Each structure stands twice: as C-alpha cells, then as structure tokens.
Amino acid sequence: MSLRFAVCLVAVALAGCGSRSFVMPARDGAFWVTGSSGHLSGAEVKARLIEDADAYCQRRGKAAVVIAARENDATSGTLAAPGKLASATVEFRCQ
C-alpha cells in the first residue's frame, strides 16, 4: 500500500468522526464557527469551538468574547432513519 493511499484512507476515515468549520464573519464585527462530531458530546464540541475562537482572537492580539452558543447531542438512528451527529455553533467577538 502506498503512503499516499494510506494518508487518503485515514483522512476519509476521520472525516466521518467530526469536523470544524473555518471562522466565518457574522454581523456587526462578530464571527462564528460551527462543528460536529460522531464521538463527542455537543458540550465537548462547543468547548473545542470556544478554544478555536480564542485562538483566532489571540492571533490578533485579543481575546474571544462569546456572544451566543448552542449545542445538540448526537441521536442514534437506524438504517432507515440515520441519527444525527453532535453539533455546536459559537458566535463571538474579538476584544
């Protein structure tokens, strides 16, 4: 098995486990970031996103101030009705 194939295989396998979006501009100078996971709770996803927000602001010499956040835990499903991943969204400002 080639190294390139192995790296692609690992990337595809991990893609289903969770993801985080890039920091996106929101309104009035605010930003938001969203993420999901198949193996973390909604609260854990939210905590990681808050860390991402703080790191984003720290690179700009500021600190993140969370404006709003929401989280949803994963739900189990069946073959006919798949469940949902745990997810969270955090809106913040850099101050």
Side-chain angles (χ1 to χ4, degrees):
M1 177 180 338
S2 73
L3 179 59
R4 176 183 267 174
F5 178 75
V7 169
C8 288
L9 185 61
V10 169
V12 168
L14 291 176
C17 296
S19 65
R20 292 185 228 178
S21 73
F22 295 101
V23 172
M24 303 293 292
R27 56 182 164 72
D28 301 326
F31 302 92
W32 61 266
V33 64
T34 186
S36 62
S37 175
H39 63 278
L40 298 174
S41 70
E44 291 169 317
V45 173
K46 182 175 77 173
R48 288 187 178 193
L49 294 177
I50 291 171
E51 290 173 1
D52 290 350
D54 197 46
Y56 179 84
C57 292
Q58 283 181 2
R59 287 192 298 271
R60 286 147 184 80
K62 300 179 179 184
V65 176
V66 175
I67 300 167
R70 67 177 178 79
E71 63 191 68
N72 295 305
D73 285 328
T75 59
S76 59
T78 63
L79 186 56
K84 295 183 179 180
L85 297 174
S87 63
T89 301
V90 174
E91 186 176 359
F92 65 96
R93 290 185 191 282
C94 294
Q95 295 182 344

